[in-house]
């Protein structure tokens, strides 16, 4: 598990960010997406073309994943039983 900061810029170029704990890049993207989409101060969900920036802490590593790519990853079958369970849990949390 790693602490990750997930952020994106909205249409007004305002950056929104949240810190989550995840086991993979896409799990961090999904958990961050969920938290940002349901935040009281953020209007609307990030759109499929929105790019989520993921910074993994300790050591710090930065990634960028579009919401469309995140959805594609969740919809693909898992490579292991563990990944299948993770994807199913994320799919339910995101209402996909």
């Amino acid at each position: 598990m790693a602490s990750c900061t997930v952020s994106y810029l909205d249409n007004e170029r305002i950056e929104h960010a949240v810190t989550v704990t995840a086991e993979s890049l896409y799990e961090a993207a999904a958990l961050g997406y969920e938290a940002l989409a349901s935040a009281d101060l953020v209007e609307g969900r990030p759109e499929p073309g929105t790019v989520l920036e993921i910074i993994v802490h300790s050591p710090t590593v930065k990634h960028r994943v579009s919401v469309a790519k995140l959805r594609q990853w969740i919809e693909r079958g898992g490579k292991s039983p563990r990944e299948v369970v993770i994807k199913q849990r994320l799919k339910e949390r995101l209402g996909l």
Side-chain angles (χ1 to χ4, degrees):
M1 299 285 261
S3 175
C4 305
T5 300
V6 180
S7 64
Y8 77 98
L9 292 176
D10 67 15
N11 293 336
E12 296 180 24
R13 308 293 297 161
I14 297 172
E15 181 178 18
H16 304 278
V18 64
T19 300
V20 298
T21 302
E23 294 184 33
S24 73
L25 172 64
Y26 282 98
E27 182 180 16
L31 295 174
Y33 172 81
E34 175 193 31
L36 291 165
S38 64
D40 290 334
L41 297 177
V42 179
E43 294 183 21
R45 289 178 166 255
E47 299 172 5
T50 300
V51 175
L52 302 173
E53 181 175 277
I54 298 94
I55 300 174
V56 181
H57 303 284
S58 193
T60 299
V61 179
K62 183 190 281 189
H63 304 274
R64 290 193 176 157
V65 176
S66 71
V67 172
K69 287 280 188 189
L70 170 61
R71 288 181 178 192
Q72 289 172 2
W73 176 81
I74 288 173
E75 293 298 329
R76 281 196 311 263
K79 296 179 183 176
S80 68
R82 183 173 167 274
E83 189 174 279
V84 169
V85 170
I86 289 170
K87 286 183 177 187
Q88 184 59 40
R89 179 174 47 89
L90 295 173
K91 195 176 204 179
E92 290 170 8
R93 287 183 73 163
L94 297 176
L96 300 176

